[in-house]
Amino acid sequence: MPQVDVVDETFIVVPPKVVAAAFADPAAWRGFWPDLKLEVYADRGDEGLRWTVGGALVGTMEVWLEAVLDGTVVHYFLRADFADGEASPKVVRKEITARQLAAKSLALRLKAVLEDGRAPGCAPTPA
């Protein structure tokens, strides 16, 4: 079992291809996860990406984009260990919490940008 196991889901009211475009540029990944070195091992197009992870953590990460109703559920998974080996339970808990907060923060930033001021209850702008 990985030391760091983070799962997050956020609904964004835009089509999956719009969300996929936000993750398409590797330069964006450095902004989203500056301490991780990512290498794509599965590009699933409008359904997201899967990476191997190096850097501060070693393992795998995925952004799965699921079309739901008039938008996309962004599923985020990070399963990794500390690059330098074992860590105390306190350090592991702190890292998990930090990664959980960072994942939700990223998802909510994307939501704000991609929905572009869409009022709740209104349909997304056609892409």
Side-chain angles (χ1 to χ4, degrees):
M1 180 165 169
Q3 293 171 306
V4 178
D5 191 358
V6 176
V7 176
D8 185 70
E9 296 178 331
T10 303
F11 183 69
I12 301 178
V13 187
V14 296
K17 68 180 179 180
V18 174
V19 183
F23 290 102
D25 182 4
W29 310 341
R30 287 186 290 281
F32 298 153
W33 306 286
D35 63 336
L36 302 179
K37 295 177 184 171
L38 305 176
E39 186 173 321
V40 173
Y41 73 87
D43 183 341
R44 301 175 65 227
D46 290 350
E47 292 184 346
L49 294 162
R50 292 178 180 155
W51 298 272
T52 56
V53 176
L57 300 173
V58 176
T60 62
M61 185 168 71
E62 177 177 2
V63 172
W64 167 36
L65 307 175
E66 179 185 17
V68 175
L69 301 172
D70 59 351
T72 305
V73 175
V74 179
H75 302 272
Y76 171 79
F77 306 95
L78 172 64
R79 293 183 174 99
D81 295 314
F82 286 89
D84 55 3
E86 294 299 315
S88 71
K90 181 178 180 179
V91 169
V92 171
R93 282 192 307 275
K94 184 176 178 181
E95 182 70 15
I96 290 170
T97 299
R99 296 290 175 173
Q100 289 169 329
L101 293 172
K104 186 53 77 177
S105 176
L106 168 58
L108 293 177
R109 282 194 323 267
L110 284 175
K111 183 175 181 66
V113 169
L114 298 177
E115 289 184 359
D116 192 27
R118 180 199 63 85
C122 295
T125 305

